Amino acid sequence: MHMKKLLVIAAVFGLAACAQPQEECNLPENVMITGTNPIISNQFAADPTARVFNGKLYVFPSHDIPSVITHHDGSAWFSMADYHVFSSEDLTTWTDHGVIVTQEDVPWGRPDAYSMWAPDCVEKDGKYYFYFPNASKTGGFAVGVAIADNPEGPYEILPEPIKGINGIDPCVLQASDGNAYIFWGNGRCAKLKDNMIELAEDNPKQVMKWGDREFEMVGVSCLQGLPSRQAEGPFAFEYNGNYYLTYPYVRENTEVIGYAMSKNPMGPYEYKGIIMAEHENGCWTNHHSIVNYKGQWYFFYHHNAYSPHFDKNRSAQIEKLYFNEDGTIQEIKPTKRGVGPVKASHKVQIDRYSTINGADIDYLDTTDYFKGWKTIFDNAGDAVCFNELDFGKKAPKKVTFRYMAGPGAVVEVKAGDAVCEFELPDAREWAEVSFDMPAKVKGLQDLSVKLVNDSNAEIDWVTFR
Ligand code: FUB
């Protein structure tokens, strides 16, 4: 294809007051437009369990807050007092439906434990069963159930936790054999009764020893003999006649997500490998779920993107997941770009790039990481590329940058066949500037933004209208 090159130093159109489109200016407080990673930007959202209900994607994460309790060694620790539920139809616009369960309202739980770890939610016969771990008044962790008529709630918390489960991180598998199985902790699994709130009578039982104490545990340990050091957060699902037990465990120093396969929900499972390796920045935990939405498989997981110095304040992210022909799962690398469609008319966060060449990324405000990031261009040639940006059917007439720049900074914007250059006015504080678009760009295009000359610029976002 012949590339049309428009090397125009476009005239400044004017400093814009509110450059973002109406839908972004007037967003209700509980609605976020992201499309990139992390997906939830109004709070921390760890351990994201994704489920599809009524054609909509729901995410049930745990809700990290800055540490208010300490670990036994005195260090800052996971602190979670309640659960929110989020939903999206396009994986870009996320609605926070608010708090569905809070620690003060759990009759059997310690109201000040801040221990509402990873939850799950499944539907049966029009009822939504929300499974959550919590510190119990009688010691240790237990798993409770709250029931609702809608995924968003209101949920009614059952007075007692599930008898026979001592542990964290419940996940429920509704298998094609007609049974529901609950997995928890380090890969233990038991069958649920039809009522979804009790363990079945015919579950196997194991006598375990803890020092000189003996006690009976219900169900089976599906990860016994498999790589599973410090395993937690099991997520089980069924696809194409195979059961998958996916779980975080410590391979060297921090968690990876591994998986095992079986022909039976309760195993035995055969270890198959890694789905996601350790986080490069040392974030100790990862916790995930896997869901098919509108024909595409997705991997939800977490990272501490909004809390670089405290890895117990985590945020949910999404990547696409692919199977090999033999049913094994291809390894996934975390990205900043994520999976959501992004419109060119939105504030395009180019710091959530697909590829980067020379440019640097940094936080906009280290006193409030939720404000997000900026892209720093220091040398001629520094560039980022943001894949799959939707310019729509009508070519935008203007491009707007939120930026800072030294004198004479020229940036090249490349999208589809169009290559345009813009000289950013000198600005030492954040400013917005709009230019006429000298080229017509439509449809889905990869966008690249490059500093052309030896100057410097920082860009918060770009938008095309
Ligand atoms: O969120 C608290 C705990 O950290 C979860 O329950 C684990 O899976 C780990 O992500």
Side-chain angles (χ1 to χ4, degrees):
M1 200 192 295
H2 190 69
M3 190 170 271
K4 196 165 43 154
K5 215 170 182 210
L6 288 167
L7 294 172
V8 181
I9 307 288
V12 178
F13 174 74
L15 296 177
C18 176
Q20 62 265 42
Q22 207 60 5
E23 63 196 276
E24 271 189 285
C25 282
N26 300 327
L27 276 184
E29 252 178 40
N30 65 329
V31 177
M32 294 151 267
I33 294 185
T34 54
T36 52
N37 284 332
I39 55 169
I40 307 295
S41 55
N42 69 342
Q43 62 193 265
F44 298 116
D47 308 322
T49 299
R51 296 288 185 190
V52 178
F53 298 131
N54 313 316
K56 228 192 226 187
L57 200 292
Y58 284 86
V59 177
F60 297 85
S62 39
H63 180 195
D64 289 344
I65 57 174
S67 179
V68 291
I69 55 170
T70 50
H71 198 31
H72 53 70
D73 63 4
S75 60
W77 193 236
F78 299 104
S79 298
M80 298 106 124
D82 58 29
Y83 295 103
H84 287 231
V85 58
F86 299 84
S87 75
S88 177
E89 289 184 59
D90 58 6
L91 305 182
T92 293
T93 310
W94 292 92
T95 303
D96 176 1
H97 299 284
V99 174
I100 52 170
V101 169
T102 179
Q103 61 181 0
E104 287 88 15
D105 295 339
V106 180
W108 52 267
R110 281 177 40 210
D112 55 354
Y114 294 91
S115 296
M116 311 206 86
W117 293 30
D120 191 7
C121 187
V122 297
E123 183 270 343
K124 186 180 176 189
D125 299 332
K127 295 269 179 216
Y128 295 85
Y129 295 83
F130 180 71
Y131 299 84
F132 61 96
N134 190 11
S136 157
K137 281 178 178 156
T138 56
F141 270 88
V143 168
V145 190
I147 305 175
D149 292 325
N150 289 297
E152 295 108 13
Y155 282 87
E156 194 177 322
I157 305 168
L158 299 188
E160 298 292 335
I162 301 179
K163 200 161 168 266
I165 301 185
N166 305 305
I168 57 168
D169 298 352
C171 162
V172 171
L173 164 69
Q174 291 168 295
S176 57
D177 68 4
N179 295 310
Y181 298 87
I182 185 160
F183 294 74
W184 71 95
N186 55 357
R188 182 156 284 276
C189 170
K191 196 160 73 180
L192 283 168
K193 281 188 184 168
D194 278 351
N195 66 13
M196 303 294 278
I197 59 175
E198 288 173 288
L199 299 186
E201 310 293 350
D202 60 349
N203 273 303
K205 310 230 171 16
Q206 279 179 311
V207 176
M208 311 287 281
K209 277 198 152 185
W210 190 271
D212 49 7
R213 279 172 56 208
E214 276 194 352
F215 54 95
E216 192 180 73
M217 287 189 78
V218 185
V220 293
S221 173
C222 291
L223 296 179
Q224 201 139 37
L226 275 51
S228 56
R229 181 156 65 101
Q230 289 174 266
E232 54 180 354
F235 185 85
F237 68 101
E238 182 180 359
Y239 174 54
N240 258 353
N242 290 310
Y243 291 97
Y244 293 81
L245 179 51
T246 64
Y247 57 98
Y249 72 96
V250 177
R251 178 167 64 172
E252 286 175 13
N253 297 313
T254 60
E255 289 183 339
V256 297
I257 309 285
Y259 76 108
M261 290 169 68
S262 176
K263 291 289 176 195
N264 296 296
M266 291 177 85
Y269 279 89
E270 189 183 335
Y271 183 75
K272 292 292 177 184
I274 297 292
I275 303 177
M276 185 169 274
E278 294 87 353
H279 283 308
E280 280 175 8
N281 72 339
C283 174
W284 201 93
T285 65
N286 199 349
H287 185 119
H288 66 297
S289 60
I290 293 170
V291 74
N292 189 306
Y293 185 55
K294 298 184 178 170
Q296 171 69 52
W297 286 92
Y298 293 100
F299 182 75
F300 286 70
Y301 64 105
H302 71 219
H303 189 39
N304 61 329
Y306 285 132
S307 173
H309 304 299
F310 183 52
D311 66 355
K312 285 153 192 72
N313 280 172
R314 299 139 314 159
S315 296
Q317 311 211 137
I318 325 179
E319 309 297 342
K320 288 183 180 164
L321 176 143
Y322 297 96
F323 293 91
N324 297 310
E325 270 182 20
D326 63 358
T328 54
I329 297 173
Q330 296 178 8
E331 190 173 331
I332 298 168
K333 289 206 185 319
T335 70
K336 293 185 169 49
R337 172 64 186 86
V339 302
V342 174
K343 288 184 188 166
S345 62
H346 287 163
K347 288 188 267 184
V348 183
Q349 308 292 342
I350 55 172
D351 47 73
R352 307 292 83 201
Y353 59 82
S354 307
T355 55
I356 189 161
N357 186 359
D360 288 313
I361 307 298
D362 204 353
Y363 291 94
L364 282 166
D365 180 351
T366 51
T367 65
D368 182 1
Y369 293 112
F370 283 106
K371 287 194 176 146
W373 295 265
K374 59 186 177 183
T375 310
I376 303 169
F377 303 85
D378 272 334
N379 295 296
D382 286 357
V384 285
C385 185
F386 186 102
N387 286 353
E388 295 188 1
L389 185 60
D390 188 2
F391 284 82
K393 292 193 183 124
K394 226 171 124 198
K397 293 203 170 97
K398 307 234 175 279
V399 55
T400 302
F401 299 86
R402 182 167 194 264
Y403 79 103
M404 290 199 268
V410 177
V411 290
E412 177 196 84
V413 169
K414 213 192 256 186
D417 285 354
V419 184
C420 322
E421 289 189 1
F422 304 100
E423 184 171 335
L424 301 173
D426 192 349
R428 308 298 154 105
E429 302 286 337
W430 287 107
E432 291 178 23
V433 64
S434 295
F435 300 89
D436 288 329
M437 268 296 281
K440 282 193 165 38
V441 186
K442 295 184 197 169
L444 209 58
Q445 306 291 350
D446 293 347
L447 169 77
S448 113
V449 179
K450 181 168 91 179
L451 183 69
V452 172
N453 51 356
D454 263 322
S455 51
N456 59 79
E458 297 188 356
I459 295 180
D460 179 9
W461 47 258
V462 186
T463 190
F464 299 84
R465 287 175 301 155

